[in-house]
Amino acid sequence: MKKSAFLALFFVLFSSTIFYGQKITDGATVDVNGLAVTFNILNKESVNVGGKSFDRYKVSATVTNNSGKSINMRLATAPQIVTNIGLVEINCINATGAKLTSKKIDLKPKPHNLNVTYWAYNKDGKYESSVLPVVAGYYLDPGDSSTDNAIFIVPQGEEPNVSVRKLQ
């Protein structure tokens, strides 16, 4: 009895967390905690993959910061690989991912680049300065937008079944 009550509570909590996505359709805009997310289908064509017919959609998604405050993500001072900088995820539930196409789009903030000047010896042994662009962090100011495109392949006769969820 305790196990079934625990599982029921776990299911209720799990379904109401950030893993839940809002459905979005072509041309619609959804508000996700102050971020306006727009999804558009740009192009549709029929393709054959492995002898089966599919519909190929070229899509675009845009996130606009309408929260009234800046979103800033500073990076650590040590070298690192940054993988979790997405703001929102657009997930196509019925996409197949065939032919190296996408199943989702991660909309990311803009990179904050700095030019770093450093001194080093060149091939000729001359000591000279060089400039190296470095990403110091990521940002999205109020009113700023970020856009990305993808290609979704879905079973023929179906439209992309798309949901949106906040990542941060």
Side-chain angles (χ1 to χ4, degrees):
M1 179 69 181
K2 287 183 179 181
K3 285 184 181 180
S4 62
F6 176 74
L7 288 175
L9 179 64
F10 178 75
F11 178 73
V12 169
L13 290 176
F14 182 77
S15 64
S16 65
T17 62
I18 62 170
F19 299 111
Y20 174 74
Q22 297 180 40
K23 185 156 175 65
I24 190 169
T25 58
D26 180 28
T29 300
V30 173
D31 182 66
V32 182
N33 294 344
L35 299 174
V37 180
T38 305
F39 173 77
N40 291 306
I41 295 175
L42 304 174
N43 186 346
K44 176 189 172 188
E45 61 182 319
S46 294
V47 294
N48 283 325
V49 178
K52 294 182 180 178
S53 295
F54 293 93
D55 289 333
R56 181 181 183 268
Y57 289 89
K58 182 173 182 182
V59 298
S60 175
T62 302
V63 62
T64 303
N65 183 1
N66 291 336
S67 67
K69 57 185 176 183
S70 291
I71 297 170
N72 292 302
M73 298 175 192
R74 290 186 288 178
L75 299 180
T77 56
Q80 61 185 357
I81 298 174
V82 180
T83 58
N84 58 346
I85 61 165
L87 294 174
V88 294
E89 176 184 84
I90 313 294
N91 186 16
C92 184
I93 297 162
N94 60 341
T96 64
K99 290 202 163 209
L100 302 175
T101 58
S102 301
K103 290 186 173 186
K104 67 178 184 172
I105 302 172
D106 286 338
L107 295 172
K108 300 173 175 65
K110 298 176 180 181
H112 181 159
N113 294 315
L114 298 174
N115 287 329
V116 176
T117 303
Y118 67 97
W119 290 84
Y121 289 100
N122 65 11
K123 290 187 253 179
D124 301 329
K126 185 178 176 187
Y127 196 62
E128 61 182 27
S129 68
S130 297
V131 176
L132 178 69
V134 176
V135 176
Y138 296 88
Y139 73 97
L140 198 64
D141 289 331
D144 277 355
S145 297
S146 177
T147 302
D148 201 1
N149 297 328
I151 295 175
F152 295 151
I153 291 183
V154 299
Q156 190 169 32
E158 293 184 22
E159 287 198 8
N161 183 5
V162 182
S163 66
V164 176
R165 73 179 180 101
K166 186 169 175 152
L167 294 175
Q168 295 284 326

